[in-house]
Each structure stands twice: as C-alpha cells, then as structure tokens.
Amino acid sequence: MPQSDSDGVIPTKTIQISVVIPAFEEELQIERTVEVIDAHLRPAGVAHQYILVDDGSRDGTWRVIESLAARRPDVCAVRLSRNFGKEAAICAGLQALHPEFSDACIVMDADLQHPPEVLPRLLAKWREGFHIVEGVKISRGRESIANRIGARVFYRTLGRLSGVNLDNASDLKLLDRKVLESWNRLSEKNTFFRGLVPWLGFSHATVPFDVAERAGGTSKWSKLQLARLAVNAITSFSSLPLQIVTILGLCFLAGSLVLGIQTLYMYLSGIAVTGFTTVILLLLIIGSAIMISLGIIGIYISKIFDEVKGRPRFIVAETVHAREAARVAGLTSPRAPSP
Ligand code: UDP
Ligand code: MG
C-alpha cells in the first residue's frame, strides 16, 4: 500500500516489508533462512528488510548475523545483552524497525519451521486489506507426545478461562503498520505475542500451514520454560483463577457448616466420636487448598511486582544498520504516520 508523505516523496520500490526473526543459538541455519525467505519474497515484488534479533546466544549466532549485516545493508542486526526469551526478542525486533519505514512486518522463526512458501499467501491476504494475517498450524510437525498433550491442555485451559481461542495459533504473523503502531503503545512487560495480537483488534485473516521440520539445531525451550510461558499466558489473559480461589473457599465453608452442625448434634446428644481420621483428612485438604490458593495469588502479585518495577522487556547490547536497513531496502524518506 504505497502512499506519499506530506513532501510528496513516494517510495522508490513497491512495498516495504520488514521481516523480524528472533534467533537463539541458530548459527547453523540463520543465513540459509534469510536466503530462502529472499527467494520467496523477491518474486512477490516486495522491497524488504530483515531485523535479526540475537537473543543472547552463546554459540556463533551473533557472528553469523553480524557478518550478514556487514555484507547486506538491508539486514539490521540487534543483539540482546542476554537471553531474554523469544517473547522479548520479538518485542526487540518490532521496536527496532521503524514503523514509518514499513508498510507491514512479518514475524517468523529462524529455523524454517514457518515455511517461507506461505509468505506470498500472507502478502496476498494483506493486499486484500486485512491488517493482521496469521499463520495457523494444520499439523504441528514432529513433536514429543508430552509437548503435544501439554499444548492441547494449555490451549483448552486458556480458551476456557479467558475466552481467547488460540488453538493451532502460531507466531508466524504479518502485521500492518497500523497494528505495529498500536503494538508499540502497549506498555506491559510480560507479553504473549500470540495472544496479544488478536487482542489488538483490527481485521484479521488466517493462512493455514504445515509446520516443517527444523532446518538444523534443536529447539531450545525446556519443559520449565514452556510451563512458565503457559502460566504467564493464562494469567495475562484471565483473572478467573483468582475467582476460583473464592469459589473453593465458599465450597469449604459449605462443607464446614454441614460438619459443624453434625459435630454439634453429636456433642449435644452425647455420642461424640473420636473422629481423628476426619480431623487429619480435613487438615490435609484445607491445608493444600490454602497453599494452592496462596500460590495462585502469589503468581498475580509477582506479575504486578514485575510491572510496577517497570524494567524494560529487554536490553539491547548492540545494533548494526538500524536505520540503514530501511533506507537501502527502497525508501528515501520516512512515510507519514497512518491516519
Ligand atoms: N528463540 C528465541 N529465544 C529463546 C528461544 C527461542 O529467540 O529463548 C527463537 C528461536 O531461535 C526460533 C524461535 O524462537 O527462531 C522458535 O524457537 P524454537 O524453534 O526453539 O521453538 P519451537 O519451534 O520448538 O516452538
Ligand atoms: Mg522451531
């Protein structure tokens, strides 16, 4: 959607797309990923640039990205000061690109599991006028049974608790500039990209795709990180768990009323039994219910604590070609902000 700015400067090439790729220990294939994406975007006739974010990798990922940026001025490299996680790396990439230079951006993985063959279809939907185009997984690729079950339980729970249906959703997304500008206005520190993008609203289309095999290396998500992401996502979108604590409390109150009446009756009628087992069981049940409830409340308090501290979502150690990448990819002057 090329448009002129107030000085009448019209982009030299056709459309400007920024491709944001978070990369954590992807030295084996990051360069090939860029080449394959090139091969699919060039025929589509779009001027494009890359924002490659190294999420504190300990292998040679930064070396590869940096040398790529040295050879190709349309590659912007961002290095985070440590591993902040994929969500933060995506935020860093979206923040590094200059919305005034981009008509849209595409977020995708560095391991080619989001097949670049779908990119022309994402662009076609965007050209039809949709502001958000999401890649939706038809199949989840090769995955352990535990991960498959975990994902299913997580999405079902999230759907039930928050009404947000993210079944088969992925981080492969195309965002129009308007959406990008709204994203950059979000101030929360704990982001869940996949869930927050639909929350922004705007018109929305989906493009199905099959998750491909990893191009190289292995997935770096540990079970603990996945569990943390799931808890973070659920508590970001729903406060229902807190209300469940109250409901649990009410259930116990009802139970204790019944038991209280029974105990009093037995005492008054002189047949009070030495209900030792009952006492122990009650203690255990109530004790664990209180602990779990406190835990749930604790999660929310820690989230409030994180937000109140106001620390940045990530820290950038260095960047290469931040502005240059946009200029080289085909624009001579920033565009006017969208109306
Ligand atoms: N990633 C990242 N930081 C991390 C973990 C992963 O930037 O701490 C990137 C990774 O390099 C890849 C994408 O996020 O581009 C998806 O990660 P991965 O392939 O490990 O996850 P999976 O495909 O198993 O969901
Ligand atoms: Mg992957």
Side-chain angles (χ1 to χ4, degrees):
M1 295 167 211
Q3 48 191 274
S4 61
D5 69 10
S6 50
D7 304 325
V9 177
I10 295 179
T12 50
K13 288 198 206 153
T14 44
I15 292 163
Q16 169 78 43
I17 302 284
S18 298
V19 183
V20 172
I21 306 180
F24 177 58
E25 309 200 335
E26 305 281 8
E27 64 175 342
L28 292 178
Q29 67 270 345
I30 183 81
E31 195 164 346
R32 190 161 92 80
T33 303
V34 169
E35 280 164 16
V36 179
I37 297 174
D38 262 346
H40 286 88
L41 283 185
R42 283 224 184 92
V46 286
H48 57 282
Q49 61 167 340
Y50 295 91
I51 317 276
L52 306 181
V53 184
D54 172 21
D55 185 17
S57 310
R58 287 154 300 191
D59 65 356
T61 304
W62 176 248
R63 234 183 13 254
V64 177
I65 292 181
E66 201 180 23
S67 87
L68 204 60
R71 276 176 283 133
R72 296 184 45 160
D74 61 336
V75 172
C76 160
V78 178
R79 185 186 204 179
L80 301 189
S81 60
R82 64 170 170 85
N83 179 239
F84 281 89
K86 182 182 180 184
E87 296 293 321
I90 292 177
C91 291
L94 294 178
Q95 203 164 300
L97 70 88
H98 296 275
E100 74 267 32
F101 283 114
S102 294
D103 281 320
C105 82
I106 294 172
V107 176
M108 60 192 295
D109 284 1
D111 54 9
L112 291 175
Q113 282 200 289
H114 293 158
E117 296 83 58
V118 298
L119 294 180
R121 280 191 278 148
L122 290 186
L123 290 169
K125 284 279 177 201
W126 174 60
R127 284 184 176 126
E128 279 174 33
F130 291 102
H131 291 104
I132 299 173
V133 189
E134 273 193 88
V136 173
K137 297 175 189 168
I138 316 175
S139 67
R140 299 184 57 92
R142 223 175 42 195
E143 218 179 16
S144 71
I145 293 186
N147 276 12
R148 208 173 281 263
I149 295 174
R152 178 156 288 219
V153 170
F154 162 61
Y155 285 122
R156 287 283 142 84
T157 315
L158 185 70
R160 289 264 156 78
L161 291 181
S162 66
V164 179
N165 182 11
L166 290 181
D167 254 353
N168 300 325
S170 77
D171 285 336
L172 170 60
K173 295 200 195 306
L174 182 149
L175 310 180
D176 184 76
R177 185 151 56 109
K178 278 189 188 166
V179 183
L180 256 177
E181 281 164 359
S182 310
W183 173 271
N184 284 337
R185 278 204 291 274
L186 292 178
S187 60
E188 57 198 89
K189 306 286 175 267
N190 275 310
T191 49
F192 179 50
F193 182 67
R194 211 170 293 186
L196 263 180
V197 168
W199 179 88
L200 289 171
F202 295 101
S203 55
H204 166 275
T206 55
V207 169
F209 75 95
D210 277 308
V211 176
E213 285 299 311
R214 231 179 184 282
T218 50
S219 175
K220 303 297 179 311
W221 291 92
S222 66
K223 294 271 180 294
L224 189 69
Q225 277 173 319
L226 284 174
R228 208 179 286 151
L229 181 73
V231 171
N232 181 29
I234 290 172
T235 49
S236 292
F237 280 89
S238 168
S239 57
L240 204 63
L242 282 177
Q243 281 140 34
I244 292 174
V245 171
T246 320
I247 294 167
L248 211 66
L250 287 175
C251 292
F252 275 108
L253 183 69
S256 58
L257 271 178
V258 174
L259 272 177
I261 290 168
Q262 189 227 24
T263 312
L264 268 180
Y265 170 78
M266 289 183 139
Y267 176 75
L268 292 175
S269 49
I271 47 165
V273 281
T274 48
F276 193 63
T277 320
T278 324
V279 173
I280 296 283
L281 281 179
L282 275 178
L283 263 178
L284 287 175
I285 295 170
I286 294 175
S288 31
I290 290 174
M291 298 287 251
I292 293 170
S293 309
L294 281 178
I296 294 174
I297 295 166
I299 293 173
Y300 282 92
I301 292 179
S302 72
K303 292 192 74 140
I304 298 170
F305 184 49
D306 279 345
E307 297 293 330
V308 167
K309 277 187 291 189
R311 286 186 191 157
R313 294 170 190 162
F314 52 82
I315 291 173
V316 175
E318 53 187 305
T319 53
V320 184
H321 286 158
R323 224 153 232 281
E324 186 65 5
R327 195 185 60 74
V328 170
L331 285 172
T332 47
S333 158
R335 292 174 189 181
S338 49

